[in-house]
Amino acid sequence: GREFGLGMNPEFLTEGTALEDFQRQDRIVIGALDPRSEEVLVRLYAGFPEVPRVLVNPRTAEMIKYASNALLATAISFSNELANLCSAIGGIDIVDVMRGVHLSRYLTAQSEAPPGWRAPIAAFLEAGCGYGGSCLPKDVKALLRSAQDAGTPLAILQSVENINQEQRKRFYRKIEKHFKGKLEGLRFAVWGIAFKPNTDDVRESSAIPIIEGLLAEGARVKAFDPAAMEEARAFFPKIEYGADSYDVAKESDALVLVTEWNQFRRLDLERIKSLMKTPVFIDLRNVYDPDQMKALGFKYSCVGRAKVETGA
């Protein structure tokens, strides 16, 4: 219409580092309906002259955003699928596998990079209990629905979605090995409710189906998260919440680490073990070393590592 423009300007900001991401952008994507709209958006970003620009139409700009998030989701599900294979074969540690993958020049090549530098996407090439949050799950689902409507199925992305859902279910198989499926009346401590560290966002968090599953089996849950306690109460108003990491461990039959907050890496594990009723530790983010946990006397489970189920 006359004097009316339309632009699509997707953002690529990460929760927890959004301000830094905006100030140090890696790309500016501008999808404009007409030359005037494009000119306005280009001028809007005049303060970032060194940042690469991609000038396209609005629909292509939208697809760039969806494709970017779908790639990250694919990396996560790829890592988790390999972790499951490592567990099935035996004698293979997914942490060591990914450490070797991360050293590839495709992930490390950068001019004037310090030794040991790796591309940020390498953080998505880690095994765990699946992706969550407000972006990756909905964007993968949106692409799958668009593909369905267009009559062009996306087999890879459908597998990404299926693997992510299945990864959360595998948690219960780990629990069954310790408690033979009889969870009623048991008390579970949960470390981490946010979908990732450094945010209070619990949307699509892996902790939600895990806690829901435990409650459905009649288990009791006491949880702690450094930032997401208030948000979590909206989902689970009736579970218990601890004052800190040690408080939730008291008298627990098992402890489940869901979100890899740094403070969970710096705890007195001997004290944690002394507080627990039984020392069953389910590490869904591979934060701890299996040998260390075995030496401390924990019955330890993790994701895709060679030395798992120690002490079981």
Side-chain angles (χ1 to χ4, degrees):
R2 182 178 297 177
E3 301 300 321
F4 179 85
L6 177 69
M8 174 63 188
N9 175 218
E11 48 81 18
F12 301 95
L13 310 179
T14 302
E15 286 193 56
T17 60
L19 182 58
E20 179 182 356
D21 290 347
F22 180 79
Q23 293 173 335
R24 301 178 60 186
Q25 300 183 54
D26 56 4
R27 57 196 146 157
I28 295 171
V29 176
I30 293 173
L33 188 65
D34 56 74
R36 178 175 172 272
S37 301
E38 181 179 289
E39 180 186 355
V40 171
L41 286 171
V42 168
R43 282 194 283 113
L44 184 65
Y45 284 98
F48 300 88
E50 303 301 321
V51 180
R53 285 164 169 71
V54 180
L55 305 179
V56 291
N57 62 40
R59 300 187 76 179
T60 302
E62 285 188 282
M63 183 58 78
I64 290 172
K65 171 66 174 181
Y66 283 117
S68 297
N69 280 344
L71 174 62
L72 302 181
T74 300
I76 293 171
S77 286
F78 168 76
S79 304
N80 285 331
E81 192 165 46
L82 282 184
N84 298 336
L85 178 61
C86 291
S87 292
I89 294 175
I92 307 173
D93 190 324
I94 189 61
V95 172
D96 290 339
V97 170
M98 286 306 173
R99 185 158 55 91
V101 171
H102 292 167
L103 293 174
S104 165
R105 66 174 178 269
Y106 299 115
L107 297 174
T108 59
Q110 186 189 57
S111 60
E112 301 179 0
W117 181 92
R118 64 179 190 172
I121 196 174
F124 293 84
L125 291 166
E126 301 281 6
C129 53
Y131 57 80
S134 62
C135 295
L136 270 58
K138 71 173 177 58
D139 286 1
V140 170
K141 289 180 174 68
L143 282 177
L144 289 173
R145 180 55 186 267
S146 295
Q148 178 183 329
D149 292 345
T152 308
L154 298 177
I156 291 177
L157 278 191
Q158 186 61 65
S159 295
V160 168
E161 169 72 4
N162 294 344
I163 292 165
N164 197 57
Q165 297 302 322
E166 175 63 21
Q167 195 69 7
R168 296 170 177 181
K169 296 176 184 177
R170 293 179 69 89
F171 160 77
Y172 298 103
R173 298 177 196 140
K174 295 180 182 295
I175 289 292
E176 287 173 352
K177 288 184 179 181
H178 293 289
F179 300 107
K180 298 180 180 180
K182 300 176 181 178
L183 307 184
E184 186 173 1
L186 297 181
R187 182 168 183 161
F188 285 82
V190 175
W191 283 354
I193 310 169
F195 85 94
K196 60 175 286 188
N198 304 315
T199 179
D200 64 354
D201 194 347
V202 302
R203 287 174 291 180
E204 295 284 346
S205 170
S206 295
I208 293 175
I210 287 171
I211 293 174
E212 287 176 340
L214 291 172
L215 295 176
E217 294 293 330
R220 298 167 59 195
V221 175
K222 190 172 185 179
F224 171 73
D225 188 284
M229 300 284 270
E230 291 304 315
E231 296 290 331
R233 283 187 173 92
F235 284 89
F236 302 110
K238 295 183 180 180
I239 71 170
E240 296 181 70
Y241 292 92
D244 55 35
S245 306
Y246 297 101
D247 184 41
V248 296
K250 292 177 183 176
E251 295 301 312
S252 62
D253 292 285
L255 193 156
V256 185
L257 194 161
V258 182
T259 313
E260 65 275 31
W261 285 90
N262 279 334
Q263 73 179 70
F264 294 153
R265 304 174 188 269
R266 300 190 293 264
L267 297 172
D268 183 342
L269 292 176
E270 291 186 354
R271 180 183 172 190
I272 293 293
K273 180 172 177 284
S274 71
L275 292 171
M276 298 177 69
K277 186 176 179 181
T278 55
V280 176
F281 196 115
I282 312 294
D283 183 355
L284 299 182
R285 297 294 182 181
N286 289 339
V287 167
Y288 289 103
D289 177 72
D291 287 333
Q292 177 192 22
M293 302 304 283
K294 180 179 180 180
L296 289 170
F298 282 97
K299 296 178 180 179
Y300 179 74
S301 291
C302 47
V303 183
R305 306 198 70 177
K307 301 168 184 177
V308 296
E309 311 303 344
T310 57

